[in-house]
Amino acid sequence: MAINAEEFRAAMGTWPSGVTIITARAGEEIHGMTVSDFSGVSLDPPLVLVCASKSSHTTSVIQKGENFGVNVLRVDQDALSNKFASKKNEWNRFDDVATFEVKTGAPLIADALVNLDCRLVALHDAGDHVLCVGEIESATVNEGQPLLYFKGGYGRFEPKG
Ligand SMILES: Cc1cc2nc3c(=O)[nH]c(=O)nc-3n(C[C@H](O)[C@H](O)[C@H](O)COP(=O)(O)O)c2cc1C
């Protein structure tokens, strides 16, 4: 018998990750949400994947527009992470957030640690989520420290002395 939701959360919560905001554009419509399930996939071609809930509005914009932006958050951007995860004022998430575009039209968050502009190349069904695979069209890497997520809380990277 498969494990229950509580057991799944307890197990997966021990896997530390960075925090991203995944953004997308379909015509005039833009949207975005906080995502920790992000991974590099392939070097040649350069592919990444995002594990997105089927019930998320961002997922439907990714599917419609066939693009997404990956914005890796800085250590001091936990409030931005919470803003893009909250359903309260969901349609105003981009208020006061400076963005820019490069090739695909996905809005990229100006002061993130890393911005990847991705063209959607594949979607894979995975239970209540969908794996969105994107080819990186452009990458911007800035100096700074990442925001980390572990056991349901935020933290910072501390190098071993
Ligand atoms: C730290 C953190 C990590 C998250 N990671 C994911 C994720 O990997 N995939 C996902 O679908 N939702 C993830 N979420 C939840 C979404 O951000 C949340 O459900 C959001 O409200 C979806 O917005 P939307 O329906 O407007 O797209 C995460 C939330 C937080 C706070």
Side-chain angles (χ1 to χ4, degrees):
M1 199 180 85
I3 63 169
N4 64 34
E6 197 183 330
E7 292 168 313
F8 179 87
R9 286 198 189 98
M12 297 312 298
T14 65
W15 179 248
S17 68
V19 182
T20 73
I21 292 175
I22 301 302
T23 52
R25 172 184 295 280
E28 292 302 300
E29 185 183 11
I30 61 168
H31 205 54
M33 68 168 168
T34 302
V35 161
S36 55
D37 295 331
F38 158 71
S39 179
V41 173
S42 159
L43 183 61
D44 184 16
L47 302 179
V48 294
L49 81 74
V50 168
C51 186
S53 170
K54 284 179 184 170
S55 65
S56 142
H57 291 130
T58 307
T59 307
S60 55
V61 179
I62 292 172
Q63 289 177 333
K64 272 189 284 180
E66 301 186 340
N67 62 64
F68 62 89
V70 179
N71 304 275
V72 177
L73 296 187
R74 295 177 183 274
V75 64
D76 61 351
Q77 290 179 314
D78 44 305
L80 198 61
S81 170
N82 289 336
K83 185 181 185 189
F84 275 77
S86 171
K87 285 291 181 187
K88 198 175 156 211
N89 297 324
E90 176 187 340
W91 303 108
N92 302 103
R93 286 176 185 165
F94 284 94
D95 287 1
D96 304 319
V97 176
T99 61
F100 65 100
E101 295 171 19
V102 184
K103 288 184 183 167
T104 71
L108 300 169
I109 294 175
D111 58 351
L113 188 57
V114 174
N115 305 105
L116 305 178
D117 187 26
C118 302
R119 185 171 51 83
L120 184 70
V121 293
L123 284 171
H124 299 286
D125 191 75
D128 56 10
H129 279 55
V130 58
L131 306 181
C132 307
V133 180
E135 180 160 353
I136 303 173
E137 299 270 341
S138 94
T140 309
V141 180
N142 299 307
E143 287 295 316
Q145 292 294 316
L147 179 64
L148 301 186
Y149 193 65
F150 176 64
K151 287 192 173 177
Y154 296 112
R156 65 181 66 242
F157 177 69
E158 188 185 337
K160 279 184 88 176

